[in-house]
Amino acid sequence: VTYQHSIEMPDQLAEQRSMITSDEEERQRLGYHVTRHYTPSGDRKFYAAQAGDRSILNLSYDHSGKIVSINHGPIPSNRDEPISGFTLCTACNRWILGRNGVAEHLDQTNEMKKCWRRGTEENIIQNILLYTDTRHDVIKIDVPEMYDETGEPIDDILFTPFIKTLAQAIIEGIQISLNVDVDEVKYLLMVNPQDNNRSSIVLYETSEGGAGILESIVTRSIFHRIVSEALVILHEYEEKQCDRACYECLCNYYNQSDHDILDRKLVLPLLRDLLTADVRVVKDTSPTTVNHYEHLISQCESSLEKQVLTAIYQYGLPLPDSAQEIISENDE
Ligand SMILES: [Zn+2]
Ligand SMILES: [Zn+2]
């Protein structure tokens, strides 16, 4: 998708937004169509929660993951109307709101609302998107195989309910076991470009710079605490259990639009397996890194070089930028 008009929100404005109360935020959430997107930085650490050699979850930790929030504009009161971004008058630098806003702004007989700089049609820019682009502590979680109680792969239709339920369960597990506020860690889903049915869970700390919450969850003992807390929340050890989801477990005011699809039973088999899984550092299998590794290997001139490079890669350490670089003393 390409957008013609977009304006990065100045830092000052972004600062103000992080100060608003949750009431205001809620109003904002209902009032505007906002989407969030994650772009990994070049420096990630990779982990896997494994049972034997099988990976149950793949995780990557990114200390400066880029989270882009796009505000596509106010949601029209009539939900059938398209969302059409923001409108700006460049003559007076004012945002124009409302269905008749432009007509009123350009009408010089409208004493209340007219443009004081006598703006014309040419000064009006429509369909503007606002965005913020900030760096956060991020953990991306992938589930290589979603399976049911018998170990059989689940149906494609259940992929999204599964992932959303798992994301909610993990977030709540983090909140309880690490004593984290509801606003401190959030998640977004990132659709897999190769398979639109599948999504990754992207957890991010909302404060820029990070408080170390997400960095800690790849520690085996903390990871297990989060999983066991998630199981408690999902009524695993209770007599009285809800059918799919309730306000005691997965449902809350903010995820109302997902209440119909949340189903704790979908993720229980996976969480039970995670309870005894090992969490290990693994090599980076993202295409960019694999290509780079293969390129470096092809340039190796001895088997020792190959061995060292392979070990660096297997242990998930950062690869050298280049190979066979000649460093000369008199280099200018
Ligand atoms: Zn104007
Ligand atoms: Zn429940």
Side-chain angles (χ1 to χ4, degrees):
V1 192
T2 43
Y3 299 112
Q4 259 194 312
H5 307 293
S6 66
I7 296 180
E8 181 165 11
M9 301 222 289
D11 284 345
Q12 204 186 350
L13 210 58
E15 209 47 49
Q16 281 177 357
R17 285 194 48 183
S18 66
M19 300 285 283
I20 61 173
T21 65
S22 58
D23 256 11
E24 285 171 295
E25 191 184 62
E26 177 61 7
R27 205 177 320 139
Q28 230 172 18
R29 191 177 72 86
L30 290 173
Y32 300 95
H33 179 56
V34 177
T35 57
R36 292 192 171 81
H37 312 267
Y38 166 54
T39 310
S41 76
D43 187 11
R44 288 186 289 166
K45 285 184 200 143
F46 294 82
Y47 302 85
Q50 296 175 324
D53 283 343
R54 183 173 64 99
S55 281
I56 308 172
L57 285 189
N58 292 326
L59 306 107
S60 63
Y61 167 71
D62 192 348
H63 178 56
S64 54
K66 190 201 258 190
I67 301 284
V68 179
S69 297
I70 302 175
N71 189 335
H72 300 256
I75 295 171
S77 48
N78 176 1
R79 297 256 166 175
D80 295 334
E81 277 178 43
I83 292 161
S84 52
F86 294 90
T87 305
L88 181 71
C89 171
T90 56
C92 64
N93 271 328
R94 274 177 189 277
W95 296 107
I96 300 170
L97 303 165
R99 183 191 288 264
N100 301 317
V102 173
E104 287 165 351
H105 192 72
L106 298 182
D107 177 4
Q108 285 299 316
T109 66
N110 189 326
E111 288 302 325
M112 294 288 287
K113 295 184 173 170
K114 71 177 182 190
C115 179
W116 65 281
R117 298 288 301 264
R118 296 181 166 271
T120 65
E121 202 80 55
E122 275 169 26
N123 299 115
I124 305 294
I125 303 177
Q126 281 173 314
N127 296 313
I128 299 171
L129 303 176
L130 299 177
Y131 71 94
T132 58
D133 167 353
T134 46
R135 299 276 171 176
H136 299 261
D137 262 33
V138 173
I139 291 262
K140 179 166 162 280
I141 301 175
D142 287 286
V143 188
E145 236 184 289
M146 294 177 250
Y147 49 88
D148 64 16
E149 255 156 355
T150 63
E152 289 295 309
I154 61 168
D155 211 71
D156 292 19
I157 295 175
L158 295 172
F159 283 1
T160 302
F162 185 104
I163 287 295
K164 285 199 169 178
T165 304
L166 183 65
Q168 187 61 35
I170 291 174
I171 284 264
E172 289 184 30
I174 291 172
Q175 284 163 4
I176 305 268
S177 60
L178 299 178
N179 200 14
V180 166
D181 276 349
V182 177
D183 290 339
E184 276 182 278
V185 175
K186 293 192 171 176
Y187 83 90
L188 58 91
L189 294 188
M190 185 174 164
V191 175
N192 183 332
Q194 270 97 49
D195 180 357
N196 288 338
N197 269 323
R198 288 177 174 268
S199 306
S200 309
I201 299 168
V202 176
L203 301 172
Y204 63 98
E205 289 186 32
T206 50
S207 70
E208 272 189 84
I213 302 160
L214 292 178
E215 191 176 10
S216 77
I217 76 169
V218 290
T219 310
R220 194 183 309 161
S221 59
I222 295 176
F223 182 81
H224 284 156
R225 230 160 72 204
I226 293 164
V227 172
S228 83
E229 204 56 63
L231 280 164
V232 170
I233 294 161
L234 299 190
H235 315 300
E236 171 80 342
Y237 310 110
E238 283 171 75
E239 292 272 303
K240 207 169 131 246
Q241 300 180 334
C242 64
D243 186 27
R244 292 152 59 94
C246 69
Y247 276 90
E248 298 281 303
C249 58
L250 292 161
C251 299
N252 61 44
Y253 180 71
Y254 300 98
N255 64 14
Q256 284 181 76
S257 56
D258 293 332
H259 286 186
D260 285 349
I261 62 168
L262 294 173
D263 184 350
R264 60 185 190 88
K265 285 174 187 158
L266 283 175
V267 301
L268 285 175
L270 182 105
L271 288 173
R272 286 172 195 143
D273 287 347
L274 286 176
L275 208 47
T276 53
D278 195 6
V279 183
R280 292 195 197 115
V281 174
V282 293
K283 58 186 189 223
D284 177 359
T285 53
S286 62
T288 339
T289 308
V290 172
N291 286 342
H292 183 51
Y293 169 70
E294 280 165 2
H295 171 70
L296 291 175
I297 281 284
S298 73
Q299 294 197 300
C300 283
E301 286 171 358
S302 72
S303 61
L304 177 66
E305 279 176 62
K306 270 190 191 161
Q307 267 174 30
V308 172
L309 192 62
T310 307
I312 290 175
Y313 179 58
Q314 297 287 347
Y315 285 106
L317 299 167
L319 290 169
D321 293 330
S322 57
Q324 313 307 342
E325 190 96 340
I326 295 163
I327 300 169
S328 119
E329 235 181 298
N330 306 320
D331 213 359
E332 305 255 67

